[in-house]
Amino acid sequence: MLEGRRISDRYKVLHLIGGGGMSHVYLAHDMILDREVAIKVLRYDFKNEEELLRRFQREALSVTSLAHLNIVGIYDVGQDEDIHYIVMEYVEGQTLKQYIQQSSPIPVKRAVDIMRSLTNAISHAHDNHLIHRDIKPQNVLMTRDGEVKVTDFGIAVTLNATAYTQTNSVLGTVHYLSPEQARGGMATKKSDIYALGVVLYELLTGELPFYGESPVAIALKHLQEETPSVRAKYSYIPQSVENVVLKATAKDPLHRYSSVEEMEQDLMTVLSPERLQEKKFELPLDDDATKAMPVIKPIFSKADDTLTKRSAAIIDDEDDEDVILVAPKKQLLDKQERVYDEPLPKKKKSRSPLVIGLIVGCVAFIGLLIFLLPSMMKPAKIAVPDVVNLPIEEAIELLEEQGFTIGEERERTSNTVDEDHVIDTSPAAGKEVEPQSEIDLIVSTGVEKTSVANYVGQNVDQVMNILKDRSYSGVSINEEYSKEREGTVLAQSPVAGEQVIESETRLTLTVSKGSNTARVADLTGYGQSALEQYASSSGFNINVSREEHSDTVEAGDVISQTPSAGSSLEIGSTINVVRSKGPEAKTMKTFVQVISIPYEPDVEPMEEVAEEKDSEAIDESINEEPTVVPQHIRIYVQDQQNTMAKPIEEFDIIETTSHRIRLEIEEDSEAAYRVVRDNEVIIEETILYEDL
């Protein structure tokens, strides 16, 4: 098993999702285009089978030429050492076989719609000269939206005889094998038509038309028995639908549809009201009996249903010409085959050749009338007009004017046809069809849009390498610093998942330049102005996280910072600082002191007065009232609010006066006051906080 392995250094195998006779199919991830794919790998036991290897490679490369909505796309074909592989579109859903098993019987209209998609796909393959050879519901995938996609074009082969028959030229699943393949003949386009008829039978009934105990028994039934009636199982199925099954599975390829395209056209009108009373399909009459031929000598020998290596058989074909086939291997023969080992009787000569000639001529003429009369009764066919590149509304109007009905409208991207214009029709322009036939329209959705891959988180060099295989009109790269590793894609525009037209879209990638760091300065003591200047020049953001009291740092200046000075920090990051509110306020006490300021008049000594004055003058002065001279008082205070630099109060006294002094004393400090009378300090005292 290859789970986990990388093939060609591009496809990472996730897990096994299926397998066939000669290959295994895995779910894988395309690491370049960032999408899920299915990868088919040639089985190890076939890698040395030169013929099978050539078949695997040749037919894989052939299918790459197919591009159709209902065919699984082939992306890549290659080899990695001993691994031969095909990379295909991954279809998430189920096989048509599983759908039939779950939903059987399928409603008639749904069955017809599925068949129209299948015939459209196979017709495209036939146009590209590819025959599928193994059409069956197991090789048809269904998306979750109900769209069908054909896969495995001519690649499947197996050694398991219970599932497949294999002669020198037979290759296909026995339940869907055409009679000509069962005989050992080469597969043709009409072999695919036969298989499509069997698939339609299975869609309508939920069963296969033929069962048997062995592949040979089933193959014999394809050769000998007519296809059972689907209306016998479900009477609601219209006869016109059963006729498609019968005509597609006719034993003789000449009685089948001439092409898959003809079958598709028949399916387009099979449910129209005009065909509800349609008669049952019958094979053209063949009145000629098996002819007796002259004896073919010794090479003949009898066998029940097979011919030995030296045997031969006489087969009556449609043109009444006897064909001798010598079988190189054991082959299956249909019921018309005869083996002779006895002499054959001779024909008697007719005595009336003229009569016989007339009778034969009349019969031929009547047969010709019977054959041509239905065609002459049908309305003349008309050519489908060319509506390619017309707006869908105009195309529908033109088709309806010319007598057609509008069938299915399918959408497809186009680089050449404008949106909502017709890309193609089915049947194609110029094809002659009956009036009122349904015309399917393929409508353009414009230039193909793709989903933008997610490049975020990847290295830009790897992304640019991937983008070489894309068709964007350009790629722009914007760089910015980030914590991501340098070169990592951080963002993209358009975003992942957006549907865009690559050739008209410019992809913009935002790429990391790595981290941008610088050392942090010591901001201790920085004031507001200094912080603003540093933030502007450094590219850091400054945030004052809190303020604290400080006895050593002035209010407004930085006390501390985080991260610390000298740290390496990414530019654009934030530095948190603690700012000082100055010293914390201490407890205050108020001290009130009542003091007595003495008044002391200036009196001269009596002796001096006596010397200067006579006794008469003394007597007079004694009798006079003493003169009062004011004294000037100045009070100084040293406390929390005042200093001794200047007095807090000044006044005059003419007598001893009481006065209140108020002091504000801070915790752990002292206060003082001083009283000056005139120019003399008369009172001075210091008060301690702790003494209060």
Side-chain angles (χ1 to χ4, degrees):
M1 293 300 176
L2 300 176
E3 282 88 343
R5 179 166 177 175
R6 293 189 179 185
I7 296 178
S8 293
D9 201 28
R10 174 173 178 175
Y11 306 106
K12 183 177 181 180
V13 178
L14 301 179
H15 58 79
L16 183 70
I17 56 176
M22 67 182 291
S23 61
H24 295 298
V25 181
Y26 296 88
L27 176 63
H29 182 74
D30 185 340
M31 294 181 292
I32 292 180
L33 299 182
D34 191 24
R35 64 181 177 184
E36 303 295 289
V37 296
I39 185 165
K40 174 175 287 188
V41 179
L42 185 67
R43 268 177 36 186
Y44 181 78
D45 48 344
F46 277 107
K47 70 181 181 67
N48 293 322
E49 295 287 344
E50 185 176 351
E51 176 59 31
L52 294 179
L53 179 57
R54 282 201 303 268
R55 185 197 308 276
F56 184 86
Q57 294 173 334
R58 180 178 65 251
E59 300 196 11
L61 290 173
S62 298
V63 178
T64 59
S65 65
L66 301 180
H68 192 277
L69 181 66
N70 300 114
I71 295 177
V72 173
I74 303 296
Y75 298 147
D76 191 12
V77 177
Q79 178 180 354
D80 183 1
E81 296 179 353
D82 60 343
I83 298 175
H84 300 269
Y85 64 87
I86 305 170
V87 181
M88 305 178 294
E89 171 188 4
Y90 173 58
V91 180
E92 189 174 3
Q94 60 183 343
T95 66
L96 183 59
K97 186 73 173 182
Q98 292 168 327
Y99 176 73
I100 292 172
Q101 292 170 343
Q102 295 172 5
S103 308
S104 176
I106 310 298
V108 176
K109 186 177 185 312
R110 176 62 177 147
V112 170
D113 289 341
I114 291 173
M115 288 304 302
R116 287 178 62 182
S117 296
L118 293 181
T119 52
N120 194 276
I122 300 302
S123 177
H124 177 75
H126 287 183
D127 289 343
N128 285 273
H129 312 293
L130 281 176
I131 300 172
H132 193 289
R133 295 189 297 171
D134 195 18
I135 296 172
K136 57 184 177 181
Q138 294 91 327
N139 285 340
V140 179
L141 304 178
M142 292 192 70
T143 67
R144 296 190 183 278
D145 296 330
E147 185 179 12
V148 298
K149 289 180 178 286
V150 182
T151 187
D152 281 347
F153 274 81
I155 298 174
V157 67
T158 186
L159 300 178
N160 184 354
T162 62
Y164 294 86
T165 65
Q166 184 174 339
T167 69
N168 60 324
S169 62
V170 178
L171 183 63
T173 306
V174 69
H175 286 291
Y176 306 88
L177 201 66
S178 65
E180 60 269 21
Q181 288 175 283
R183 283 194 202 100
M186 294 296 294
T188 67
K189 293 179 180 180
K190 291 199 174 185
S191 304
D192 281 352
I193 293 174
Y194 185 91
L196 286 168
V198 177
V199 172
L200 178 55
Y201 182 97
E202 191 173 355
L203 280 167
L204 294 169
T205 65
E207 301 175 359
L208 291 162
F210 301 118
Y211 291 93
E213 295 181 355
S214 67
V216 172
I218 298 171
L220 283 172
K221 290 187 177 182
H222 280 289
L223 286 166
Q224 298 172 351
E225 297 182 12
E226 296 300 325
T227 304
S229 169
V230 295
R231 284 174 53 80
K233 292 182 176 294
Y234 299 103
S235 59
Y236 61 79
I237 298 175
Q239 184 61 57
S240 56
V241 176
E242 181 180 72
N243 287 347
V244 177
V245 177
L246 297 176
K247 187 171 182 178
T249 59
K251 305 301 177 188
D252 189 337
L254 292 178
H255 296 155
R256 297 177 204 153
Y257 292 100
S258 61
S259 65
V260 179
E261 184 180 5
E262 182 186 353
M263 184 177 180
E264 181 186 2
Q265 291 177 4
D266 199 11
L267 287 165
M268 289 170 64
T269 61
V270 75
L271 297 179
S272 60
E274 294 80 4
R275 297 185 61 180
L276 291 179
Q277 305 303 320
E278 190 169 282
K279 293 183 179 180
K280 184 175 182 178
F281 172 80
E282 294 182 357
L283 296 173
L285 296 175
D286 185 2
D287 295 331
D288 294 334
T290 302
K291 293 183 179 180
M293 299 298 294
V295 64
I296 308 293
K297 296 193 179 172
I299 63 170
F300 293 97
S301 63
K302 284 189 177 181
D304 294 335
D305 289 315
T306 61
L307 293 174
T308 63
K309 186 174 183 181
R310 295 182 54 81
S311 299
I314 298 174
I315 304 174
D316 293 330
D317 68 6
E318 306 76 31
D319 299 324
D320 298 327
E321 294 178 1
D322 294 330
V323 180
I324 299 177
L325 298 180
V326 179
K329 291 185 179 181
K330 289 187 178 181
Q331 297 181 340
L332 302 176
L333 303 177
D334 68 17
K335 63 181 180 181
Q336 290 183 325
E337 297 174 357
R338 294 186 178 181
V339 178
Y340 297 89
D341 59 2
E342 299 293 338
L344 300 176
K346 295 182 179 180
K347 290 185 178 179
K348 294 183 179 180
K349 293 184 179 179
S350 174
R351 294 181 180 179
S352 304
L354 180 61
V355 175
I356 293 174
L358 290 173
I359 293 173
V360 171
C362 291
V363 171
F365 179 72
I366 293 171
L368 183 63
L369 285 178
I370 293 173
F371 180 75
L372 296 177
L373 188 59
S375 299
M376 293 187 293
M377 297 294 290
K378 290 182 179 180
K381 292 186 177 182
I382 56 177
V384 177
D386 187 0
V387 295
V388 173
N389 281 320
L390 289 181
I392 181 63
E393 296 81 3
E394 293 183 22
I396 291 174
E397 183 178 355
L398 178 59
L399 289 168
E400 290 178 342
E401 284 178 358
Q402 297 195 19
F404 298 100
T405 58
I406 306 303
E408 182 181 2
E409 292 184 21
R410 288 180 291 178
E411 294 183 338
R412 184 184 300 168
T413 59
S414 174
N415 295 328
T416 57
V417 179
D418 293 339
E419 186 176 359
D420 294 328
H421 285 58
V422 176
I423 298 175
D424 201 359
T425 59
S426 180
K431 185 75 176 180
E432 292 191 348
V433 296
E434 295 179 2
Q436 298 301 316
S437 294
E438 280 191 356
I439 306 298
D440 290 343
L441 299 174
I442 301 175
V443 184
S444 172
T445 57
V447 179
E448 181 179 9
K449 292 185 177 181
T450 57
S451 179
V452 179
N454 184 11
Y455 302 116
V456 174
Q458 300 185 49
N459 181 272
V460 67
D461 292 335
Q462 294 176 343
V463 172
M464 294 303 293
N465 189 45
I466 293 172
L467 293 176
K468 290 179 182 178
D469 296 330
R470 311 303 296 181
S471 56
Y472 288 106
S473 62
V475 179
S476 298
I477 295 179
N478 298 327
E479 292 185 321
E480 64 179 41
Y481 292 107
S482 79
K483 294 180 181 179
E484 298 295 331
R485 181 179 300 176
E486 182 178 359
T488 301
V489 177
L490 304 175
Q492 66 183 73
S493 177
V495 297
E498 185 173 342
Q499 297 291 316
V500 299
I501 300 171
E502 287 191 355
S503 60
E504 300 177 6
T505 302
R506 188 172 188 85
L507 185 64
T508 301
L509 303 176
T510 302
V511 179
S512 172
K513 290 171 33 177
S515 59
N516 182 24
T517 60
R519 292 191 178 278
V520 178
D522 185 357
L523 304 180
T524 304
Y526 276 41
Q528 182 63 32
S529 177
L531 286 176
E532 291 175 357
Q533 184 177 357
Y534 177 73
S536 176
S537 61
S538 67
F540 294 124
N541 297 313
I542 305 298
N543 175 55
V544 179
S545 59
R546 66 182 185 278
E547 292 183 336
E548 295 179 356
H549 290 286
S550 174
D551 295 333
T552 58
V553 179
E554 292 185 12
D557 291 350
V558 174
I559 299 173
S560 62
Q561 65 188 75
T562 303
S564 61
S567 300
S568 181
L569 186 65
E570 185 176 352
I571 298 299
S573 298
T574 299
I575 302 174
N576 294 306
V577 299
V578 178
R579 190 159 54 187
S580 172
K581 294 194 297 182
E584 186 176 4
K586 295 184 179 181
T587 304
M588 302 293 296
K589 288 185 178 181
T590 301
F591 172 77
V592 178
Q593 178 74 38
V594 180
I595 61 174
S596 177
I597 303 174
Y599 178 80
E600 294 183 1
D602 186 14
V603 180
E604 294 181 358
M606 292 301 296
E607 291 83 1
E608 295 179 1
V609 174
E611 291 179 355
E612 294 178 0
K613 297 182 179 180
D614 54 17
S615 59
E616 183 178 354
I618 293 172
D619 292 340
E620 289 179 359
S621 61
I622 292 173
N623 293 328
E624 290 179 1
E625 290 292 331
T627 301
V628 176
V629 178
Q631 295 179 337
H632 187 68
I633 303 300
R634 286 174 296 170
I635 298 177
Y636 295 86
V637 171
Q638 176 73 50
D639 66 357
Q640 189 65 25
Q641 305 296 330
N642 305 286
T643 67
M644 292 287 189
K646 60 180 181 179
I648 64 169
E649 292 182 89
E650 290 188 63
F651 54 89
D652 292 332
I653 62 173
I654 58 174
E655 60 181 353
T656 298
T657 303
S658 293
H659 189 77
R660 292 168 59 88
I661 296 177
R662 181 185 180 89
L663 301 175
E664 296 289 336
I665 306 174
E666 186 180 51
E667 183 180 4
D668 298 329
S669 66
E670 59 186 17
Y673 66 93
R674 180 186 302 154
V675 180
V676 177
R677 185 178 59 196
D678 292 331
N679 292 318
E680 179 186 2
V681 177
I682 60 172
I683 302 173
E684 188 172 22
E685 185 178 6
T686 298
I687 310 298
L688 298 178
Y689 177 86
E690 55 267 21
D691 292 338
L692 298 180

